[in-house]
Amino acid sequence: MEKRKNFFLAILAAGYFSCAFGDHVFKIVSCDHYKEEKELRLRICSIRFSPLCASNNVTYSNSCVYCFANIALNGTLRIQHRGTCRKNPEPNTTVSFSHHK
C-alpha cells in the first residue's frame, strides 16, 4: 500500500511541476524524427491535445503537427509557449497579409 501511495504522490508532483514550470522548459521540440522519409510520406499524428503556440501566432494541437508545419515552412517556426496562442500577436510581432485581386 505504501508503494502505491508513493507512486501516486510522484505522479501528482510531476504533474504539478510540469504545469508550474512547463513554459520555461518546453521551448525546443526536436523534429528530426518527422524528417525521416517514411514519416514525411505518411504524415500521421496522434489526436493527443497538447497545444503549442508558435512564432507565427498559430496554435498547433501537439508537437507532431507543429513539426510537420515547421518542416513545410523550412524550419522557420519557433515555440513561443505551451498552450494556445493569444488572439492578438505580441506588439513587436510583424504579421503580413497578401492581398490578391
Side-chain angles (χ1 to χ4, degrees):
M1 184 70 173
E2 187 67 27
K3 285 184 181 182
R4 191 178 304 174
K5 181 180 172 184
N6 289 339
F7 173 76
F8 286 116
L9 286 174
I11 295 295
L12 287 173
Y16 169 77
F17 286 114
S18 69
C19 289
F21 303 108
D23 287 352
H24 304 291
V25 176
F26 200 73
K27 293 277 187 176
I28 298 173
V29 171
S30 174
C31 295
D32 293 341
H33 169 74
Y34 301 102
K35 292 178 183 176
E36 295 174 11
E37 184 180 338
K38 179 183 175 188
E39 296 298 324
L40 284 172
R41 188 174 65 247
L42 295 176
R43 293 185 187 215
I44 297 174
C45 293
S46 75
I47 60 171
R48 179 181 60 96
F49 188 68
S50 181
L52 301 172
C53 180
S55 53
N56 59 351
N57 204 41
V58 172
T59 301
Y60 295 94
S61 59
N62 59 45
S63 59
C64 176
V65 177
Y66 164 81
C67 282
F68 282 128
N70 202 15
I71 291 167
L73 295 170
N74 298 314
T76 58
L77 294 177
R78 299 291 174 258
I79 295 174
Q80 297 300 319
H81 58 85
R82 290 175 77 176
T84 58
C85 296
R86 296 174 198 80
K87 290 186 181 199
N88 297 322
E90 294 296 321
N92 54 355
T93 302
T94 304
V95 178
S96 62
F97 298 93
S98 39
H99 193 316
H100 298 284
K101 292 184 177 184

